[in-house]
Amino acid sequence: MGVVQAVLTDIEGTTSSISFVKDVLFPYARRALPGFVAAHGDDPDVRRWLDAVSADAPQAQEDAARVAVLQDWIDADRKHTALKALQGMVWEAGYRDADFTAHMYPDAAQALQDWYGEGLALYVYSSGSVPAQKLFFGHSDAGDLTPLVSGWFDTEIGGKRERDSYARIVERIGVAPREVLFLSDVVAELDAAREAGLQTVLLDRLEDYPTPRDAAACNGHARVTSFAQIEPAA
């Protein structure tokens, strides 16, 4: 591994378990969305994203129909920016009311704290909206980790399997691509980051991927099962 000035990390399957999102956050949002839209549909921020649903689902012109589309997208695990934004707003209430805390692998929390202490700049890039990311890190099992993070990126900057997204992120960070280390559990995302010149490491956690991925499946990316195995050289 070459010199690293910044670490860019995914969340789901990387710092945190896939099951938490699928088993806790998604069902919570699905249940709460109808009441949330009924109560907050006149809020300009909420209205903006509800209108964005109709852009992709033109048959849904009424809020009830839009909620049904959103629930279908949750069931399909669709990575739609409007869905992510509205889910984040719903989850905020859940975190605030302490209905749950966000799962964080202990090794990830410890490594992020150590790297921050060593002077590395830390960034997050997830398909979840930036507000949802901040809620996740702010209400994690390890406490409030948001002070460790220098910047947040979601799909508004581009898709996670697109090379140009990582080029834009690196430009925002302001360091050379080769000095940024990207961590993810998804090989296609790592491929796109590598094409943009970033260093990459695949997180292959047994909790999320019971069958370890072999060298061919890793497609040339370094593979680890824990953040404790990553030693970025500052």
Side-chain angles (χ1 to χ4, degrees):
M1 187 176 296
V3 172
V4 174
Q5 298 294 333
V7 175
L8 177 68
T9 185
D10 171 51
I11 297 177
E12 184 182 350
T14 303
T15 64
S16 311
S17 69
I18 294 173
S19 62
F20 172 75
V21 176
K22 293 189 180 300
D23 297 343
V24 178
L25 289 186
F26 283 0
Y28 185 91
R30 198 186 196 290
R31 290 192 306 270
L33 263 172
F36 176 83
V37 169
H40 302 285
D42 292 334
D43 183 296
D45 287 338
V46 175
R47 180 55 47 191
R48 168 198 173 196
W49 292 115
L50 288 172
D51 291 343
V53 172
S54 295
D56 274 4
Q59 76 280 7
Q61 295 298 320
E62 303 296 328
D63 283 352
R66 291 166 174 167
V67 166
V69 169
L70 289 164
Q71 290 175 322
D72 287 344
W73 287 352
I74 290 173
D75 294 342
D77 192 18
R78 183 170 176 187
K79 311 297 186 183
H80 193 285
T81 301
L83 171 62
K84 297 302 180 181
L86 289 166
Q87 282 182 148
M89 296 177 190
V90 170
W91 291 332
E92 181 176 6
Y95 285 118
R96 185 177 61 245
D97 296 341
D99 290 342
F100 45 77
T101 57
H103 175 264
M104 184 72 60
Y105 283 113
D107 59 86
Q110 186 62 58
L112 293 173
Q113 291 165 336
D114 290 346
W115 297 343
Y116 177 82
E118 293 165 6
L120 288 174
L122 306 178
Y123 297 86
V124 174
Y125 181 28
S126 173
S127 58
S129 68
V130 166
Q133 295 172 26
K134 291 179 178 179
L135 286 170
F136 200 105
F137 273 65
H139 298 270
S140 83
D141 295 340
D144 183 4
L145 300 178
T146 57
L148 307 180
V149 181
S150 295
W152 313 81
F153 302 97
D154 59 21
T155 52
E156 287 204 75
I157 204 162
K160 296 189 70 184
R161 302 185 183 205
E162 299 171 10
R163 175 198 175 280
D164 289 350
S165 303
Y166 298 90
R168 294 186 196 104
I169 288 172
V170 168
E171 186 177 1
R172 296 270 189 95
I173 292 175
V175 300
R178 64 180 179 277
E179 295 179 342
V180 180
L181 171 63
F182 177 54
L183 311 176
S184 177
D185 64 313
V186 178
V187 172
E189 296 176 2
L190 296 167
D191 289 345
R194 183 170 59 192
E195 288 175 15
L198 284 69
Q199 299 184 56
T200 57
V201 170
L202 172 70
L203 268 296
D204 196 30
R205 295 187 178 277
L206 298 179
E207 297 91 336
D208 295 317
Y209 297 90
T211 302
R213 284 173 278 189
D214 60 18
C218 292
N219 198 27
H221 303 286
R223 173 188 174 274
V224 300
T225 58
S226 165
F227 270 58
Q229 297 169 275
I230 304 169
E231 298 182 1

